[in-house]
């Protein structure tokens, strides 16, 4: 039932991404780089951004494809395949065995795909974290299964893949270490040691290759309370002692996963409430996140209390996994907060949602009729709110492809003139015009009735 | 309990499947956005650049004049005007950019007062777009046409 309920969503989302145009801004520059530079150029970090495996993967596809169209199609797979693996693997890990399990699993899938941190990672060709998310989930699955000799190498390879696509993959390292410490059956001390060494080596390597001037204190715009600061403004305001703003950005990413607010470090919904212009969808987002996080906290405390001195249950380990991955995801976003930077934590948050909602439903079934009825309606509303958010993911993704095509239609001439001295860029740009402007490639969002759009959100 | 928790997912999946099935059968419907019947309608009724572009992609020459009969732009009079002039009058920056990107020429008589029209209606973003395509150099000095007509678009018809 859970798979059947998830497949239409998955199919629509993946076909939207598969058919949609690559954005002119993000894609052409990336493809110029991989077309123009040797593979070895991506191994040595020259900027603060370092995604060697992402670039090498694109480079391999680009240079081995028989045509640019073929390369573009293959690059789309770096998004579509991880999304399919993530959702199907998520359901497989839950293995619903009863009607209640199946119902709760559908709600958990909605949490997974309705989360802003999932939506924020659906922008081809930037598949940095969407590759890391299923990798983390596979690692978790291996950690929780009976030990096999190949688990260690598999976990190490998955960790390397996730880190190679983006530094957010480092979140897998403490996950493996704490899982081993808590007695997870699928791993051992050696694997924990190897991934720790990998993490230390990676960080040392990055610090050693900062370039002559070192990294700037702020790479991108920084959100702070109700407004945003450009990187220059942030440097002027916080550059002398940036620790507090780094902590603020890290906490913002964590809070965005747990509460859907702030977004990009800015308290947009709180501001809307203060100014009396709050929208129904903003309430849906914050309340559904707040309620689910409270439910997860209640379940998590119970799971931790029920462990004995020497044994940790799988649920207790999951509680720690959620906390650890969330904290690391936050820490790695210290420079600026964005929805997408919480991506590695979302599969674990959604797994925890499954256990929390299931436990709540089981407890309610043992209560008096009145309490059970109130609780059941509350869970119905919670599941409904997350389904709205999952639908929003589809419609927002569609609108993003429409916006992407709009940029191709309006920005082409400016790009050609601005980059007139870069022949490789122009060649890539011209090769991509058809995919960028073909009307058949975009599906316009559904024009739901206004009350429905109010509940879903702005797209 | 299971039925209540699963109900939203079932409603969502049935609704989504029904809507997408309907989209396959009836892609043009109010639920998915009406399609304009002409390039002029697309511009005057604000369908958006992606709808306007469909006509250009289908082979319509962006320099060919179109017939417009609109209360907002022509006082209800039927006139022929270039899509670019119409886009400028409609403050449709995106469509103007698209038309210029895909073949509209500012040196043609039907487009040569596009810059003057943008200037008169005070659309600075439009002026930047036109100037990026050489509008400043290609446009003759704007004559005084304040007495010609009441609607800006009618005033700058060549």
């Amino acid at each position: 039932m859970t798979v059947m309920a998830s497949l239409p969503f998955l199919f629509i989302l993946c076909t939207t991404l598969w058919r949609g145009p690559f954005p002119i801004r993000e894609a052409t520059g990336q493809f110029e780089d991989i077309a123009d530079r040797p593979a070895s150029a991506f191994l040595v970090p020259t900027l603060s951004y370092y995604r060697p495996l992402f670039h090498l993967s694109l480079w391999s596809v680009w240079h081995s494809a028989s045509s640019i169209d073929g390369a573009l199609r293959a690059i789309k797979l770096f998004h579509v395949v991880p999304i399919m693996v993530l959702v199907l693997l998520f359901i497989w890990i839950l293995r619903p065995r009863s009607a209640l399990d199946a119902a709760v699993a559908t709600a958990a899938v909605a949490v997974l795909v309705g989360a802003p941190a999932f939506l924020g990672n659906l922008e081809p060709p930037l598949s940095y974290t969407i590759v890391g998310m299923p990798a983390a989930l596979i690692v978790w699955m291996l950690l929780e299964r009976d030990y096999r000799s190949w688990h260690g190498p598999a976990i190490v390879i998955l960790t390397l893949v996730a880190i190679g696509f983006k530094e957010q993959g480092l979140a897998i390292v403490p996950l493996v270490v704490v899982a081993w410490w808590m007695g997870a059956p699928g791993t051992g001390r050696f694997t924990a040691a190897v991934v720790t060494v990998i993490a230390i080596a990676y960080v040392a390597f990055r610090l050693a290759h900062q370039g002559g001037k070192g990294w700037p204190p702020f790479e991108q715009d920084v959100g702070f309370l109700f407004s945003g600061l450009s990187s220059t403004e942030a440097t002027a305001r916080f550059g002398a002692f940036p620790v507090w703003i780094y902590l603020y950005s890290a906490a913002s990413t964590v809070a965005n996963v747990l509460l859907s607010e702030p977004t990009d470090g800015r308290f947009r919904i709180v501001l809307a409430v203060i100014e009396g212009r709050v929208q129904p969808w903003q309430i849906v987002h914050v309340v559904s996140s707040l309620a689910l996080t409270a439910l997860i906290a209640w379940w998590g405390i119970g799971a931790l209390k029920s462990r004995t001195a020497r044994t940790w249950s799988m649920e207790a380990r999951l509680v720690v996994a959620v906390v650890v991955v969330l904290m690391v995801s936050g820490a790695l976003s210290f420079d600026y907060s964005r929805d997408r930077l919480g991506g590695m934590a979302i599969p674990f948050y959604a797994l925890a949602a499954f256990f929390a909602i299931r436990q709540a439903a089981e407890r309610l079934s043992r209560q008096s009729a009145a309490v059970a009825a109130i609780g059941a309606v509350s869970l119905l509303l919670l599941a409904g709110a997350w389904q709205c958010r999952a639908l929003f993911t589809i419609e927002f993704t569609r609108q993003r492809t429409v916006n992407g095509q709009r940029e191709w239609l309006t920005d082409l001439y400016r790009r050609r003139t601005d980059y007139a001295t870069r022949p490789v860029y122009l060649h890539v740009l011209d090769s991509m015009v058809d995919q960028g402007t073909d009307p058949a490639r975009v599906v316009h969002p559904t024009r739901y009735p206004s009350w429905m759009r109010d509940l879903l959100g702005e797209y | 309990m299971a039925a209540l928790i699963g109900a939203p997912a079932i409603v969502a999946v049935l609704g989504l499947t029904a809507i997408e099935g309907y989209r396959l059968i009836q892609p043009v419907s109010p639920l998915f956005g009406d399609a304009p019947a002409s390039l002029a309608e697309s511009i005057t009724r604000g369908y958006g650049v992606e709808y306007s572009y469909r006509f250009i992609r289908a082979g319509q020459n962006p320099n060919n004049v179109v017939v417009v009969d609109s209360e907002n732009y022509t006082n209800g009079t039927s006139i022929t005007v270039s899509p670019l002039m119409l886009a400028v009058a409609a403050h449709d920056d995106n469509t103007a950019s698209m038309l210029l990107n895909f073949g509209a020429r500012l040196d043609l008589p039907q487009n040569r007062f596009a810059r003057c029209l943008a200037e008169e209606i005070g659309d600075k973003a439009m002026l930047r777009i036109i100037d990026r395509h050489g509008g400043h150099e290609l446009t003759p000095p704007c004559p005084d046409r304040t007495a010609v007509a009441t609607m800006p678009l009618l005033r700058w018809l060549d």
Side-chain angles (χ1 to χ4, degrees):
Chain A
M1 175 197 159
T2 311
V3 172
M4 291 302 290
S6 306
L7 278 181
F9 175 92
L10 199 55
F11 178 77
I12 293 168
L13 184 64
C14 289
T15 50
T16 302
L17 290 168
W18 176 254
R19 291 169 57 185
F22 282 101
I24 191 169
R25 252 184 302 184
E26 289 83 357
T28 39
Q30 292 274 0
F31 296 156
E32 178 198 21
D33 271 354
I34 59 173
D36 201 25
R37 298 167 68 185
S40 57
F42 300 106
L43 292 172
V44 180
T46 49
L47 301 168
S48 54
Y49 299 107
Y50 181 54
R51 286 97 198 229
L53 207 53
F54 165 76
H55 284 111
L56 288 176
S57 303
L58 263 58
W59 190 94
S60 304
V61 167
W62 190 271
H63 291 280
S64 62
S66 56
S67 66
I68 288 186
D69 271 354
L72 296 177
R73 275 195 295 275
I75 288 169
K76 280 280 175 70
L77 292 176
F78 285 97
H79 250 90
V80 171
V81 172
I83 291 168
M84 290 169 69
V85 170
L86 179 67
V87 174
L88 295 176
L89 187 70
F90 182 81
I91 297 169
W92 196 64
I93 286 174
L94 296 179
R95 284 195 198 88
R97 290 182 181 84
S98 65
L100 179 64
D101 278 4
V104 175
T106 58
V109 171
V111 172
L112 175 70
V113 297
F118 177 81
L119 178 57
N121 282 296
L122 301 182
E123 285 186 89
L126 309 179
S127 55
Y128 312 130
T129 309
I130 203 69
V131 169
M133 289 161 73
L137 203 57
I138 297 170
V139 167
W140 173 253
M141 186 185 74
L142 296 177
L143 292 170
E144 287 299 326
R145 300 185 90 184
D146 288 340
Y147 179 78
R148 296 283 184 278
S149 58
W150 54 269
H151 279 191
I155 288 170
V156 169
I157 288 168
L158 288 164
T159 307
L160 286 170
V161 167
I163 296 172
F165 268 77
K166 196 174 183 183
E167 55 275 10
Q168 255 67 15
L170 283 168
I172 295 177
V173 173
L175 173 73
V176 174
V177 173
V178 295
W180 160 73
W181 179 72
M182 292 182 295
T187 189
R189 183 186 306 166
F190 184 69
T191 304
V194 170
V195 294
T196 305
V197 169
I198 288 171
I200 292 168
Y202 174 84
V203 173
F205 179 71
R206 294 295 310 275
L207 291 174
H209 287 84
Q210 288 186 51
K213 293 184 288 184
W215 296 326
F218 301 99
E219 280 288 346
Q220 294 191 19
D221 294 354
V222 178
F224 183 60
L225 298 178
F226 299 123
S227 59
L229 303 167
S230 69
S231 52
T232 312
E233 290 167 334
T235 304
R237 187 162 168 188
F238 302 109
F241 187 71
V243 173
W244 294 117
I245 191 70
Y246 286 166
L247 284 172
Y248 174 86
S249 292
S252 295
T253 302
V254 173
N256 181 265
V257 171
L258 298 176
L259 310 171
S260 294
E261 176 81 341
T263 296
D264 301 346
R266 296 172 65 180
F267 286 87
R268 292 184 168 95
I269 297 177
V270 172
L271 184 63
V273 171
I274 292 169
E275 293 178 348
R277 52 176 179 81
V278 66
Q279 301 292 312
W281 67 267
Q282 294 175 316
I283 296 168
V284 169
H285 283 207
V286 170
V287 173
S288 61
S289 284
L290 193 64
L292 184 61
T293 297
L295 204 59
I296 289 172
W298 164 77
W299 157 81
I301 290 167
L304 289 174
K305 277 183 179 170
S306 67
R307 76 185 170 87
T308 60
R310 277 186 292 178
T311 59
W312 292 69
S313 65
M314 184 277 285
E315 292 190 27
R317 286 195 292 270
L318 179 58
V319 176
V320 177
V322 173
V323 173
V324 165
V325 177
L326 195 52
M327 291 300 130
V328 176
S329 298
L332 290 168
S333 70
F334 69 91
D335 200 53
Y336 53 87
S337 178
R338 299 288 183 271
D339 287 359
R340 61 179 181 272
L341 299 179
M344 295 297 284
I346 285 303
F348 300 95
Y349 182 78
L351 281 175
F354 172 81
F355 290 104
I357 297 172
R358 188 177 69 174
Q359 187 167 85
E362 286 170 348
R363 292 274 177 93
L364 284 169
S365 64
R366 296 196 290 270
Q367 304 296 316
S368 66
V371 173
I374 293 169
V377 170
S378 303
L379 291 181
L380 167 73
L381 291 174
L382 183 64
W386 279 99
Q387 287 297 336
C388 285
R389 299 181 69 172
L391 280 179
F392 176 71
T393 296
I394 286 183
E395 301 302 343
F396 188 87
T397 305
R398 282 177 168 161
Q399 186 59 50
R400 194 149 51 192
T401 65
V402 172
N403 295 345
Q405 183 166 89
R406 203 171 284 163
E407 286 190 8
W408 275 99
L409 295 175
T410 58
D411 219 17
L412 203 51
Y413 179 84
R414 193 177 66 81
R415 296 255 157 197
R416 280 191 178 129
T417 50
D418 287 357
Y419 296 90
T421 57
R422 285 159 57 172
V424 177
Y425 184 96
L426 292 180
H427 174 65
V428 171
L429 187 74
D430 288 336
S431 306
M432 291 175 68
V433 169
D434 193 59
Q435 66 87 40
T437 57
D438 183 359
R441 281 179 170 264
V442 299
V443 175
H444 284 259
T446 308
R447 294 190 181 177
Y448 289 110
S450 58
W451 64 266
M452 180 88 173
R453 286 203 301 270
D454 287 346
L455 285 177
L456 294 186
E458 291 169 353
Y459 54 82
Chain B
M1 189 67 78
L4 280 175
I5 296 171
I10 291 168
V11 170
V13 74
L14 290 178
L16 204 56
T17 308
I19 288 170
E20 295 314 311
Y22 183 54
R23 194 192 290 264
L24 284 176
I25 300 164
Q26 194 74 38
V28 178
S29 107
L31 192 57
F32 313 119
D34 295 325
S38 67
L39 178 55
E41 185 189 357
S42 179
I43 297 170
T44 53
R45 295 185 61 187
Y47 277 87
V49 62
E50 59 276 10
Y51 284 99
S52 300
Y53 174 69
R54 290 179 186 184
F55 295 95
I56 305 302
R57 187 161 178 113
Q60 186 164 342
N61 186 333
N63 293 303
N64 284 358
V65 292
V66 292
V67 179
V68 184
D69 174 1
S70 160
E71 275 304 319
N72 293 333
Y73 301 106
T74 69
N75 255 345
T77 320
S78 185
I79 61 162
T80 56
V81 64
S82 76
L84 181 63
M85 290 292 283
L86 197 54
V88 174
H91 295 276
D92 189 342
D93 301 0
N94 286 339
T95 297
S97 286
M98 180 275 290
L99 290 166
L100 289 163
N101 285 342
F102 291 88
R105 286 171 48 194
L106 289 163
D107 59 337
L108 295 178
Q110 61 269 40
N111 289 328
R112 68 174 171 169
F113 289 127
R115 192 179 193 285
C116 298
L117 176 58
E119 207 168 70
E120 184 190 318
I121 61 178
D123 193 332
K124 289 180 180 162
M126 191 68 79
L127 280 171
R128 278 196 296 274
I129 290 164
I130 291 170
D131 287 348
R132 195 183 301 141
H133 289 262
H136 197 68
E137 296 77 27
L138 294 169
T139 305
C142 300
D144 181 9
R145 292 196 171 184
T146 45
V148 175
T150 52
M151 306 293 279
L153 177 61
L154 298 177
R155 204 171 291 149
W156 293 104
L157 286 180
D158 198 40

